[in-house]
Amino acid sequence: DSRSGPTEVTSAGTVDNDQAEITAHPAQAFGSDPLTVRDTDHYTNEYVKGFVEKWDDLIDWKKRYESEGSFFVDLLKSRGVKSVLDVATGTGFHSVRLIEEGFDTVSVDGSAEMLAKAFENGLNYGGHILRVVHADWRWLNRDVHGEFDAVVCLGNSFTHLFSERDRRKALAEFYAVLKHDGILILDQRNYDSILDNGFSSKHTYYYCGEEVTAEPEYVDDGLARFRYRFPDDSQYHLNMFPLRKDYVRRLLREVGFQRVETYGDFQETFTAEDPDFLIHVAEKS
Ligand code: SAM
């Protein structure tokens, strides 16, 4: 039974493996036992229309700009980056930002719905025409040709890969589209603190005031299931793999990146003692 042993979090923050309610929005196709869904290919079922649109309506892009600041832009500029491949475009937040900052940007996502939304957002936020490519990271080089100065994989996206084989394959594909001196910027939630420090670290993340909340609903070494609640009481989930910082750093090194630097946080969230987000910058040469 995959539910015995590991910890589950109730909204009160107490451990209760038997009573915590594991529910799922019907549109997300998690099936009768969502905790068994630990599959890289499931991500396209999780980012369903209602979820994505609500998220984008509520998380004002301007506010997101402010909380993130110019961290990535500064980093890229300081390294003389001109061309960027955004491999986790989602609804386009980073792609649009990069285009506005003058980077030659190509936007990839494995979800066609996400890319459609990103394209629409590009037009709405400044009339930008995004160059979009529908591709899964594991077969990126089949669809994306060219050499980029940087690859960005942001917004805690790498967490969607559930096997080490998939992670290595994806990183190898990122490595291959980079110029000889290119860099990869990949961010992730700080899962170490969630896995190690127990419930004290499992705080609720508030976005846009309290309009959207994100909470870990269930966590074990192989699954972090987060619940996202919206003001109309609807809730959606994402099943993610809880990446440990040193593990990701090691993988980056093992696929060939020569140097990996890891930064903590750039954005404000609630009651965070440890950083909520970690940002790895990996250099190819
Ligand atoms: N970077 C955006 C942001 O911060 O708003 C989007 C982040 S969203 C959490 C993760 C994105 O990664 C989704 O759009 C999803 O479709 C994409 N994704 C997840 N796994 C993928 C894979 N194996 N190949 C391509 N895209 C993938």
Side-chain angles (χ1 to χ4, degrees), residues 40-44 47 52 55-56 61 64 68 86-95 108-115 133-140 152-161 166 170 174 187 228 238 240:
T40 295
D41 291 317
H42 199 258
Y43 69 94
T44 50
Y47 288 110
V52 169
W55 185 271
D56 249 22
W61 275 24
R64 201 171 163 192
E68 187 172 293
D86 179 0
V87 290
T89 298
T91 59
F93 174 78
H94 290 108
S95 285
V108 170
D109 203 285
S111 154
E113 260 185 23
M114 283 296 206
L115 283 181
V133 181
H134 184 206
D136 189 283
W137 303 326
R138 292 165 289 172
W139 297 279
L140 183 66
V152 298
C153 182
L154 302 177
N156 195 33
S157 297
F158 197 64
T159 187
H160 286 295
L161 300 175
D166 289 338
F174 298 166
D187 74 3
Y228 299 82
L238 290 178
M240 302 175 284

Side-chain angles (χ1 to χ4, degrees), residues 143-164:
D143 302 299
V144 178
H145 309 289
E147 292 189 318
F148 293 85
D149 296 320
V151 167
V152 298
C153 182
L154 302 177
N156 195 33
S157 297
F158 197 64
T159 187
H160 286 295
L161 300 175
F162 270 92
S163 74
E164 177 156 321

